[in-house]
C-alpha cells in the first residue's frame, strides 16, 4: 500500500499504538518456551530496499515464521523480528516467491 502521512493527531496516535504493538504481536505467536528474536540493522538508505528483500529471502529460505520488518526507513534502520523457531511462512508481507 502507498504510505499515507497525516497531521491529524488522532490518526498519528492510532499509528503509534499499532507500531508499539508489533513486537508483542510477534512474540505472542511463538510457541511457549521459545524466544522472539529482534535485531536492529542500519544500512545506507539506498540499500534499504535490497536489505529488506534479502531478509525476506532468508526468512523464506530457512523457513522462519511470523516475521516482520519495521523501523525508521528514512534513517536506513530496520528491525527484523521473528519467532526463534522455523515454521511455515506466515508473515504479513509476501514472500519473494509471490512477488513484492
Amino acid at each position: 500500500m502507498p504510505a499515507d502521512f497525516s497531521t491529524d493527531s488522532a490518526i498519528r496516535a492510532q499509528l503509534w499504538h499499532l507500531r508499539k504493538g508489533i513486537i508483542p504481536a510477534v512474540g505472542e505467536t511463538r510457541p511457549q518456551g521459545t524466544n522472539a528474536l529482534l535485531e536492529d540493522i542500519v544500512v545506507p538508505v539506498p540499500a534499504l530496499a535490497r536489505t529488506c528483500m534479502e531478509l525476506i529471502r532468508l526468512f523464506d529460505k530457512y523457513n522462519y515464521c511470523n516475521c516482520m520488518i519495521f523501523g525508521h526507513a528514512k534513517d536506513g534502520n530496520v528491525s527484523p523480528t521473528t519467532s526463534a523457531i522455523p515454521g511455515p511462512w506466515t508473515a504479513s508481507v509476501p514472500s519473494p516467491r509471490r512477488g513484492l
Side-chain angles (χ1 to χ4, degrees):
M1 291 175 47
D4 255 348
F5 296 95
S6 178
T7 57
D8 182 306
S9 60
I11 292 172
R12 290 172 38 192
Q14 289 175 331
L15 293 172
W16 271 113
H17 177 74
L18 289 172
R19 162 59 177 83
K20 289 177 183 180
I22 290 173
I23 295 171
V26 171
E28 289 176 3
T29 65
R30 65 184 169 74
Q32 187 172 0
T34 63
N35 293 318
L37 178 66
L38 169 68
E39 290 295 333
D40 199 28
I41 301 169
V42 179
V43 298
V45 174
L48 188 60
R50 187 175 71 246
T51 300
C52 291
M53 295 284 288
E54 279 299 306
L55 285 167
I56 293 168
R57 186 187 67 75
L58 289 169
F59 291 153
D60 206 35
K61 178 180 179 179
Y62 293 103
N63 208 24
Y64 275 82
C65 62
N66 301 319
C67 303
M68 294 187 171
I69 300 172
F70 64 98
H72 304 278
K74 74 174 185 64
D75 298 322
N77 171 272
V78 291
S79 300
T81 305
T82 183
S83 300
I85 185 168
W89 181 271
T90 57
S92 60
V93 294
S95 84
R97 287 193 299 258
R98 293 176 286 220
L100 280 176

